[in-house]
Protein backbone atom coordinates (compact mmCIF):
# COMPACT_ATOMS: atom_id res chain seq x y z
CA UNK A 1 0.00 0.00 0.00
CA UNK A 2 1.26 3.45 -0.88
CA UNK A 3 2.65 5.20 2.15
CA UNK A 4 0.87 8.48 2.84
CA UNK A 5 2.66 11.55 4.05
CA UNK A 6 0.16 13.15 6.40
CA UNK A 7 0.68 16.61 7.86
CA UNK A 8 -2.13 18.42 9.64
CA UNK A 9 -2.52 22.17 9.91
CA UNK A 10 -2.83 23.07 13.55
CA UNK A 11 -4.86 26.25 13.22
CA UNK A 12 -8.30 25.51 11.75
CA UNK A 13 -10.45 28.56 10.99
CA UNK A 14 -13.71 28.77 12.90
CA UNK A 15 -16.46 30.06 10.61
CA UNK A 16 -19.79 29.46 12.36
CA UNK A 17 -19.88 29.80 16.15
CA UNK A 18 -17.30 27.14 16.94
CA UNK A 19 -19.24 24.58 14.92
CA UNK A 20 -18.07 24.84 11.32
CA UNK A 21 -14.33 24.30 10.95
CA UNK A 22 -12.20 24.76 7.83
CA UNK A 23 -9.19 22.48 7.99
CA UNK A 24 -6.52 20.93 5.76
CA UNK A 25 -4.17 17.99 5.65
CA UNK A 26 -1.20 17.29 3.44
CA UNK A 27 -1.02 13.94 1.67
CA UNK A 28 1.94 13.09 -0.56
CA UNK A 29 2.80 16.77 -0.81
CA UNK A 30 -0.71 17.92 -1.75
CA UNK A 31 -2.90 19.96 0.60
CA UNK A 32 -6.43 18.56 0.90
CA UNK A 33 -9.16 20.75 2.35
CA UNK A 34 -12.32 19.83 4.22
CA UNK A 35 -15.05 21.44 6.32
CA UNK A 36 -16.23 19.75 9.51
CA UNK A 37 -19.59 20.55 11.07
CA UNK A 38 -19.80 19.72 14.78
CA UNK A 39 -23.28 20.04 16.33
CA UNK A 40 -23.71 22.18 19.41
CA UNK A 41 -24.99 19.15 21.34
CA UNK A 42 -21.80 17.17 20.71
CA UNK A 43 -20.25 15.77 23.88
CA UNK A 44 -16.94 13.95 23.93
CA UNK A 45 -18.45 11.43 26.34
CA UNK A 46 -21.05 10.31 23.78
CA UNK A 47 -20.02 8.58 20.51
CA UNK A 48 -21.37 10.38 17.43
CA UNK A 49 -22.17 9.02 13.97
CA UNK A 50 -20.11 10.49 11.11
CA UNK A 51 -21.31 11.35 7.60
CA UNK A 52 -19.05 12.08 4.64
CA UNK A 53 -20.97 14.57 2.46
CA UNK A 54 -19.36 14.73 -1.00
CA UNK A 55 -19.87 17.47 -3.59
CA UNK A 56 -20.42 16.86 -7.30
CA UNK A 57 -18.10 17.49 -10.23
CA UNK A 58 -17.36 21.25 -10.53
CA UNK A 59 -18.69 21.64 -6.97
CA UNK A 60 -17.15 22.50 -3.63
CA UNK A 61 -17.26 21.38 -0.02
CA UNK A 62 -18.85 24.72 0.91
CA UNK A 63 -21.53 24.43 -1.77
CA UNK A 64 -22.39 20.87 -0.77
CA UNK A 65 -22.72 21.90 2.86
CA UNK A 66 -25.53 24.25 1.75
CA UNK A 67 -27.15 22.30 -1.11
CA UNK A 68 -27.04 18.89 0.54
CA UNK A 69 -27.58 20.32 4.01
CA UNK A 70 -27.51 18.00 7.05
CA UNK A 71 -26.69 20.61 9.68
CA UNK A 72 -30.16 20.89 11.28
CA UNK A 73 -30.30 17.11 11.37
CA UNK A 74 -26.86 17.01 12.98
CA UNK A 75 -27.99 19.47 15.65
CA UNK A 76 -30.76 17.14 16.84
CA UNK A 77 -29.22 13.72 16.11
CA UNK A 78 -25.68 14.52 17.33
CA UNK A 79 -24.07 13.68 13.98
CA UNK A 80 -20.71 15.05 12.83
CA UNK A 81 -20.64 15.97 9.13
CA UNK A 82 -17.41 16.23 7.16
CA UNK A 83 -17.41 17.90 3.73
CA UNK A 84 -14.21 16.99 1.84
CA UNK A 85 -12.95 19.02 -1.12
CA UNK A 86 -12.07 17.29 -4.39
CA UNK A 87 -9.10 18.31 -6.51
CA UNK A 88 -9.09 19.83 -10.00
CA UNK A 89 -8.88 17.35 -12.88
CA UNK A 90 -7.33 17.69 -16.34
CA UNK A 91 -10.45 19.49 -17.54
CA UNK A 92 -9.93 22.19 -14.91
CA UNK A 93 -12.85 21.30 -12.62
CA UNK A 94 -13.14 19.79 -9.16
CA UNK A 95 -13.97 16.09 -9.03
CA UNK A 96 -13.58 12.77 -7.23
CA UNK A 97 -11.31 10.14 -8.77
CA UNK A 98 -13.18 6.87 -9.38
CA UNK A 99 -10.05 4.97 -10.35
CA UNK A 100 -9.28 6.80 -13.59
CA UNK A 101 -6.33 8.99 -12.51
CA UNK A 102 -3.42 9.06 -10.08
CA UNK A 103 -5.21 11.29 -7.55
CA UNK A 104 -5.42 9.26 -4.35
CA UNK A 105 -8.89 10.16 -3.10
CA UNK A 106 -9.27 6.84 -1.29
CA UNK A 107 -6.03 7.60 0.57
CA UNK A 108 -7.32 11.09 1.39
CA UNK A 109 -10.67 9.88 2.70
CA UNK A 110 -9.07 7.06 4.70
CA UNK A 111 -6.72 9.59 6.30
CA UNK A 112 -9.59 12.01 6.90
CA UNK A 113 -11.56 9.23 8.59
CA UNK A 114 -8.62 8.55 10.91
CA UNK A 115 -8.09 12.25 11.62
CA UNK A 116 -11.73 12.95 12.51
CA UNK A 117 -11.81 9.83 14.70
CA UNK A 118 -8.67 10.99 16.52
CA UNK A 119 -10.22 14.35 17.44
CA UNK A 120 -13.87 13.45 18.10
CA UNK A 121 -15.59 10.55 19.79
CA UNK A 122 -16.90 8.82 16.65
CA UNK A 123 -19.03 5.70 16.73
CA UNK A 124 -16.96 3.74 14.20
CA UNK A 125 -19.86 1.38 13.55
CA UNK A 126 -21.91 4.35 12.29
CA UNK A 127 -19.88 5.97 9.52
CA UNK A 128 -21.79 6.78 6.33
CA UNK A 129 -21.21 8.41 2.96
CA UNK A 130 -23.51 10.42 0.73
CA UNK A 131 -23.05 12.84 -2.11
CA UNK A 132 -24.42 14.65 -5.12
CA UNK A 133 -23.69 13.45 -8.68
CA UNK A 134 -19.94 12.67 -8.80
CA UNK A 135 -20.12 12.64 -4.99
CA UNK A 136 -22.79 9.94 -5.28
CA UNK A 137 -20.51 7.96 -7.59
CA UNK A 138 -17.75 8.37 -5.01
CA UNK A 139 -20.01 7.09 -2.25
CA UNK A 140 -20.51 3.90 -4.26
CA UNK A 141 -16.73 3.77 -4.73
CA UNK A 142 -16.25 4.01 -0.96
CA UNK A 143 -18.74 1.16 -0.44
CA UNK A 144 -16.47 -0.90 -2.69
CA UNK A 145 -13.07 0.30 -1.44
CA UNK A 146 -13.57 1.43 2.17
CA UNK A 147 -16.16 -1.19 3.05
CA UNK A 148 -14.49 -1.98 6.37
CA UNK A 149 -15.29 1.57 7.51
CA UNK A 150 -18.54 2.52 5.72
CA UNK A 151 -21.81 1.24 7.20
CA UNK A 152 -24.19 2.51 4.49
CA UNK A 153 -24.27 4.90 1.53
CA UNK A 154 -26.76 7.13 -0.25
CA UNK A 155 -26.35 8.72 -3.67
CA UNK A 156 -28.30 11.67 -5.07
CA UNK A 157 -28.15 11.94 -8.89
CA UNK A 158 -25.09 9.70 -8.97
CA UNK A 159 -24.57 6.17 -10.21
CA UNK A 160 -22.47 3.03 -9.92
CA UNK A 161 -20.81 2.58 -13.30
CA UNK A 162 -20.17 -0.83 -14.85
CA UNK A 163 -16.42 -0.39 -14.32
CA UNK A 164 -17.08 -0.04 -10.59
CA UNK A 165 -19.26 -3.14 -10.49
CA UNK A 166 -16.46 -5.21 -12.02
CA UNK A 167 -13.98 -4.07 -9.36
CA UNK A 168 -16.12 -3.85 -6.24
CA UNK A 169 -14.96 -5.68 -3.12
CA UNK A 170 -17.40 -5.03 -0.27
CA UNK A 171 -16.84 -6.94 2.95
CA UNK A 172 -20.34 -6.81 4.46
CA UNK A 173 -23.97 -6.41 3.39
CA UNK A 174 -24.29 -2.70 2.68
CA UNK A 175 -27.51 -0.68 2.83
CA UNK A 176 -27.70 1.42 -0.34
CA UNK A 177 -30.09 4.22 -1.29
CA UNK A 178 -30.29 6.05 -4.62
CA UNK A 179 -32.36 9.23 -5.15
CA UNK A 180 -32.68 9.97 -8.85
CA UNK A 181 -34.83 11.92 -11.29
CA UNK A 182 -36.21 10.46 -14.50
CA UNK A 183 -35.56 13.79 -16.28
CA UNK A 184 -31.89 13.93 -15.25
CA UNK A 185 -29.92 14.73 -18.41
CA UNK A 186 -26.49 14.72 -16.69
CA UNK A 187 -26.72 11.19 -15.26
CA UNK A 188 -29.66 9.56 -17.10
CA UNK A 189 -32.02 7.52 -14.96
CA UNK A 190 -31.39 4.28 -16.87
CA UNK A 191 -27.70 4.50 -15.87
CA UNK A 192 -28.49 3.71 -12.26
CA UNK A 193 -30.47 0.50 -12.75
CA UNK A 194 -27.53 -1.90 -13.03
CA UNK A 195 -26.03 -0.46 -9.85
CA UNK A 196 -29.28 -0.98 -7.94
CA UNK A 197 -29.39 -4.52 -9.29
CA UNK A 198 -25.78 -5.12 -8.19
CA UNK A 199 -26.49 -4.17 -4.57
CA UNK A 200 -29.86 -5.92 -4.50
CA UNK A 201 -28.07 -9.12 -5.52
CA UNK A 202 -24.99 -8.63 -3.34
CA UNK A 203 -27.15 -7.90 -0.31
CA UNK A 204 -29.35 -10.91 -1.14
CA UNK A 205 -32.51 -8.79 -1.02
CA UNK A 206 -35.91 -9.78 -2.35
CA UNK A 207 -35.99 -9.80 -6.16
CA UNK A 208 -39.37 -8.07 -6.15
CA UNK A 209 -39.51 -4.59 -4.65
CA UNK A 210 -42.13 -3.08 -2.37
CA UNK A 211 -43.23 0.22 -3.93
CA UNK A 212 -44.87 3.17 -2.20
CA UNK A 213 -46.20 6.29 -3.91
CA UNK A 214 -45.19 9.33 -1.87
CA UNK A 215 -48.00 11.88 -1.37
CA UNK A 216 -47.69 14.66 -3.95
CA UNK A 217 -47.78 17.57 -1.50
CA UNK A 218 -46.24 20.12 -3.89
CA UNK A 219 -48.08 20.27 -7.19
CA UNK A 220 -46.01 23.23 -8.31
CA UNK A 221 -42.79 21.21 -8.71
CA UNK A 222 -44.41 19.18 -11.53
CA UNK A 223 -42.89 15.97 -10.21
CA UNK A 224 -43.81 13.02 -8.01
CA UNK A 225 -42.00 10.27 -6.13
CA UNK A 226 -42.01 6.48 -5.94
CA UNK A 227 -40.14 4.80 -3.09
CA UNK A 228 -38.89 1.41 -4.29
CA UNK A 229 -37.47 -0.91 -1.61
CA UNK A 230 -35.84 -4.32 -1.97
CA UNK A 231 -36.28 -5.77 1.50
CA UNK A 232 -34.96 -8.71 3.54
CA UNK A 233 -31.28 -8.50 2.67
CA UNK A 234 -28.62 -10.23 4.71
CA UNK A 235 -28.22 -8.68 8.19
CA UNK A 236 -31.57 -6.96 7.61
CA UNK A 237 -30.28 -4.46 5.04
CA UNK A 238 -32.28 -2.99 2.17
CA UNK A 239 -31.47 -1.64 -1.29
CA UNK A 240 -33.65 1.40 -2.01
CA UNK A 241 -34.54 3.87 -4.75
CA UNK A 242 -36.47 7.11 -4.60
CA UNK A 243 -37.59 7.51 -8.22
CA UNK A 244 -38.32 11.19 -8.83
CA UNK A 245 -40.71 11.22 -11.79
CA UNK A 246 -39.86 14.29 -13.91
CA UNK A 247 -37.10 15.22 -11.45
CA UNK A 248 -33.85 16.69 -12.72
CA UNK A 249 -30.19 16.66 -11.68
CA UNK A 250 -30.91 18.22 -8.30
CA UNK A 251 -31.06 17.59 -4.53
CA UNK A 252 -34.77 17.17 -3.63
CA UNK A 253 -36.08 19.54 -1.00
CA UNK A 254 -33.32 22.12 -1.28
CA UNK A 255 -34.34 25.64 -2.29
CA UNK A 256 -30.87 26.36 -3.68
CA UNK A 257 -31.29 23.70 -6.34
CA UNK A 258 -32.10 24.37 -9.99
CA UNK A 259 -35.32 23.75 -11.90
CA UNK A 260 -36.92 20.28 -11.89
CA UNK A 261 -36.36 20.01 -8.15
CA UNK A 262 -38.84 17.87 -6.24
CA UNK A 263 -40.28 19.17 -2.96
CA UNK A 264 -42.41 16.19 -1.94
CA UNK A 265 -39.40 14.79 -0.10
CA UNK A 266 -36.31 16.26 1.51
CA UNK A 267 -33.33 14.19 0.40
CA UNK A 268 -31.26 14.98 3.49
CA UNK A 269 -34.05 13.88 5.85
CA UNK A 270 -34.70 10.69 3.87
CA UNK A 271 -31.00 9.86 3.83
CA UNK A 272 -30.64 10.31 7.58
CA UNK A 273 -33.78 8.25 8.27
CA UNK A 274 -32.16 5.54 6.14
CA UNK A 275 -28.69 5.76 7.69
CA UNK A 276 -29.99 5.85 11.26
CA UNK A 277 -31.51 2.36 10.89
CA UNK A 278 -28.13 0.72 10.25
CA UNK A 279 -24.65 0.29 11.57
CA UNK A 280 -21.79 -1.63 9.99
CA UNK A 281 -23.32 -4.90 11.22
CA UNK A 282 -26.64 -4.25 9.48
CA UNK A 283 -30.07 -3.39 10.84
CA UNK A 284 -29.89 -1.99 14.36
CA UNK A 285 -32.10 -4.08 16.59
CA UNK A 286 -34.33 -2.34 19.15
CA UNK A 287 -32.86 -2.31 22.63
Amino acid sequence: MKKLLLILLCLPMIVFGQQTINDSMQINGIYRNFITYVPSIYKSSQPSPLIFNLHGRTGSAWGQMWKGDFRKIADTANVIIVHPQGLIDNAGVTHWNLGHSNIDDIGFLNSLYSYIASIYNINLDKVYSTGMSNGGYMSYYLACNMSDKIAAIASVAGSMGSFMQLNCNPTHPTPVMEIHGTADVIVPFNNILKGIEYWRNYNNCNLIADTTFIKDINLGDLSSVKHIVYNNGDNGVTTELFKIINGGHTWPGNNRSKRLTNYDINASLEIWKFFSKYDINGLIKPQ
Side-chain angles (χ1 to χ4, degrees):
M1 180 182 293
K2 182 186 295 184
K3 185 177 181 180
L4 299 177
L5 173 62
L6 176 62
I7 302 174
L8 302 176
L9 294 185
C10 298
L11 297 173
M13 181 177 69
I14 307 302
V15 181
F16 281 142
Q18 304 298 314
Q19 292 184 327
T20 302
I21 305 167
N22 282 0
D23 208 345
S24 299
M25 59 173 58
Q26 192 183 90
I27 299 177
N28 296 333
I30 300 174
Y31 281 101
R32 303 302 305 263
N33 300 321
F34 54 96
I35 303 171
T36 306
Y37 184 79
V38 183
S40 57
I41 62 172
Y42 169 77
K43 295 180 181 179
S44 60
S45 60
Q46 180 179 353
S48 298
L50 172 66
I51 297 177
F52 286 92
N53 191 7
L54 305 172
H55 64 77
R57 190 166 185 264
T58 76
S60 68
W62 184 265
Q64 181 62 18
M65 185 173 67
W66 286 93
K67 292 180 180 179
D69 197 347
F70 286 87
R71 289 171 294 178
K72 288 184 179 179
I73 295 168
D75 287 339
T76 58
N78 191 31
V79 184
I80 290 178
I81 317 293
V82 62
H83 311 81
Q85 178 62 54
L87 294 178
I88 294 174
D89 64 12
N90 292 334
V93 297
T94 55
H95 79 301
W96 297 106
N97 175 27
L98 305 172
H100 300 309
S101 75
N102 60 0
I103 294 175
D104 189 7
D105 280 330
I106 290 294
F108 167 44
L109 295 174
N110 264 302
S111 295
L112 182 54
Y113 166 94
S114 298
Y115 175 55
I116 297 295
S118 73
I119 295 177
Y120 305 103
N121 186 358
I122 300 298
N123 185 334
L124 297 183
D125 287 340
K126 296 182 177 181
V127 179
Y128 313 99
S129 182
T130 187
M132 171 70 189
S133 192
N134 182 224
Y137 278 88
M138 190 64 188
S139 293
Y140 282 113
Y141 200 57
L142 295 187
C144 295
N145 293 281
M146 279 178 58
S147 180
D148 61 322
K149 300 177 177 68
I150 301 297
I153 67 145
S155 164
V156 178
S159 180
M160 183 186 186
S162 57
F163 60 94
M164 214 184 296
Q165 296 167 39
L166 294 173
N167 298 284
C168 191
N169 296 292
T171 59
H172 62 88
T174 305
V176 168
M177 173 187 282
E178 176 70 35
I179 301 175
H180 214 102
T182 62
D184 189 332
V185 296
I186 306 298
V187 182
F189 182 82
N190 286 343
N191 288 15
I192 72 167
L193 300 179
K194 288 293 185 181
I196 296 295
E197 182 181 346
Y198 173 90
W199 287 105
R200 181 199 67 188
N201 293 340
Y202 176 80
N203 289 330
N204 199 27
C205 296
N206 295 345
L207 295 179
I208 304 300
D210 296 323
T211 300
T212 302
F213 289 85
I214 303 298
K215 186 176 181 180
D216 192 359
I217 60 174
N218 190 318
L219 300 178
D221 61 17
L222 303 179
S223 59
S224 58
V225 184
K226 285 184 182 181
H227 188 198
I228 299 166
V229 182
Y230 295 94
N231 280 303
N232 297 322
D234 294 340
N235 294 352
V237 311
T238 57
T239 304
E240 304 192 13
L241 168 64
F242 278 95
K243 182 178 182 179
I244 314 297
I245 300 164
N246 201 40
H249 194 72
T250 63
W251 189 280
N254 189 279
N255 59 15
R256 292 172 176 263
S257 296
K258 301 175 183 177
R259 58 186 297 271
L260 298 181
T261 299
N262 178 267
Y263 293 100
D264 299 318
I265 65 169
N266 180 297
S268 300
L269 287 174
E270 296 298 339
I271 289 168
W272 174 243
K273 283 164 56 180
F274 178 69
F275 284 167
S276 64
K277 294 188 295 184
Y278 301 103
D279 63 18
I280 203 160
N281 299 305
L283 185 66
I284 299 171
K285 298 178 181 179
Q287 297 295 322

